[in-house]
Amino acid sequence: MQLHFRELGAGNPLVILHGLFGTSDNWQTLAKRWAETHRVIVVDLRNHGRSPQTAEHSYELMSQDVLELFDQLQLQHVTLMGHSMGGKVAMRFALDHPTRLDKLIVLDIAPRLSDMRHQDDILAGLHAVNLATIESRQQADDALAQHIPQLGVRQFLLKNLYRRDDNSFAWRPNLAALTEHMPAIGAEITGPTPFLKPALFVRGGKSDYVSTEDKLYAIPALFPNSQVETVVDVGHWLHAEKPDEVYALVEAFAKS
């Protein structure tokens, strides 16, 4: 699968994978900063953004998609970074293809199983938007608000809404496939052998996506040469809430 990507800068590659319902666009501001010292490649994962849509969605397939991108761009000495779902893709890739990476960075996600019930309201909100009848983004926001009270979450989701050539609205994510495969998105990440190269895990201080038990047991079991850093007073979208802190952590680790 030929994933859509954007490329900036020069140097050793830093490849960035977004989270569920995200796109490469979410990373443009930070990508420009990292591009001062790295060749930065921001990717749309399958069923997201401008990448192809398919009926299937799993970490095995997404890891293979990323491998094909590495081969296409002939990438070497890569630091691979992912947030949330993208972090699980990055972990799976590191375990599948350890020789293709120099370093791994994972933002606010652990390798353990998640039941994904925390996505129920978001899915209900997205499905509540009647794309055949809405005439404005405000109408879409009104529909989302019936299920999602948080303005910031709705604004994030509405970045996925676009107009087709016929002026009708559509979602960029493949909502049907993502809804069907939500259990697979919550799947545990495992591998036959640990990833022995350096890995950085960054968690939000107000987020529960990476627990103390994850830090002490689950992460070191698969990534024994890892460190876990915490950005205080932020939730799951730590790179949006405190971009300077995330920039500095990633830059220091990638250059070390």
Side-chain angles (χ1 to χ4, degrees), residues 15-244:
V15 178
I16 303 174
L17 309 178
H18 61 78
L20 180 63
F21 301 123
T23 72
S24 57
D25 292 347
N26 305 145
W27 288 92
Q28 286 305 295
T29 300
L30 277 170
K32 289 176 183 177
R33 296 178 67 181
W34 286 315
E36 295 174 6
T37 50
H38 304 277
R39 178 187 178 189
V40 179
I41 299 155
V42 284
V43 181
D44 285 340
L45 293 167
R46 68 164 56 203
N47 290 319
H48 288 77
R50 292 170 175 80
S51 280
Q53 297 194 355
T54 69
E56 298 302 318
H57 195 87
S58 70
Y59 289 115
E60 178 183 6
L61 291 171
M62 288 187 281
S63 174
Q64 181 63 33
D65 294 342
V66 174
L67 178 63
E68 292 176 15
L69 180 68
F70 275 45
D71 290 342
Q72 175 189 346
L73 299 179
Q74 300 181 327
L75 299 181
Q76 297 180 348
H77 304 296
V78 179
T79 297
L80 177 62
M81 179 172 71
H83 170 248
S84 199
M85 181 189 73
K88 282 194 164 183
V89 177
M91 284 188 271
R92 178 64 190 263
F93 183 91
L95 295 167
D96 287 346
H97 310 289
T99 62
R100 302 302 298 267
L101 296 183
D102 280 2
K103 297 177 181 179
L104 170 70
I105 303 173
V106 178
L107 301 184
D108 209 53
I109 198 71
R112 62 178 157 86
L113 174 73
S114 170
D115 63 18
M116 301 304 286
R117 285 182 295 183
H118 58 284
Q119 296 292 335
D120 287 351
D121 289 343
I122 287 177
L123 287 172
L126 290 169
H127 283 287
V129 178
N130 189 335
L131 297 172
T133 61
I134 63 167
E135 297 178 351
S136 68
R137 301 181 74 84
Q138 183 59 54
Q139 289 179 345
D141 185 54
D142 292 343
L144 287 173
Q146 297 174 28
H147 301 275
I148 306 168
Q150 305 94 333
L151 176 60
V153 175
R154 298 201 308 273
Q155 289 174 333
F156 167 75
L157 294 171
L158 286 169
K159 291 179 181 178
N160 288 292
L161 191 66
Y162 74 103
R163 285 190 184 271
R164 296 192 180 104
D165 291 340
D166 64 3
N167 215 36
S168 65
F169 282 101
W171 293 116
R172 290 207 181 276
N174 184 346
L175 189 54
L178 296 176
T179 301
E180 178 182 354
H181 295 290
M182 197 58 62
I185 295 170
E188 180 182 7
I189 299 300
T190 61
T193 58
F195 178 74
L196 302 178
K197 294 177 181 178
L200 171 67
F201 286 73
V202 185
R203 62 179 182 171
K206 292 182 177 179
S207 171
D208 59 3
Y209 279 68
V210 181
S211 67
T212 299
E213 185 174 346
D214 295 326
K215 178 180 178 180
L216 294 176
Y217 303 108
I219 292 171
L222 289 173
F223 306 97
N225 191 16
S226 64
Q227 61 192 84
V228 179
E229 302 288 347
T230 301
V231 179
V232 298
D233 296 328
V234 298
H236 186 52
W237 284 279
L238 63 173
H239 53 291
E241 295 181 56
K242 286 197 174 180
D244 291 344

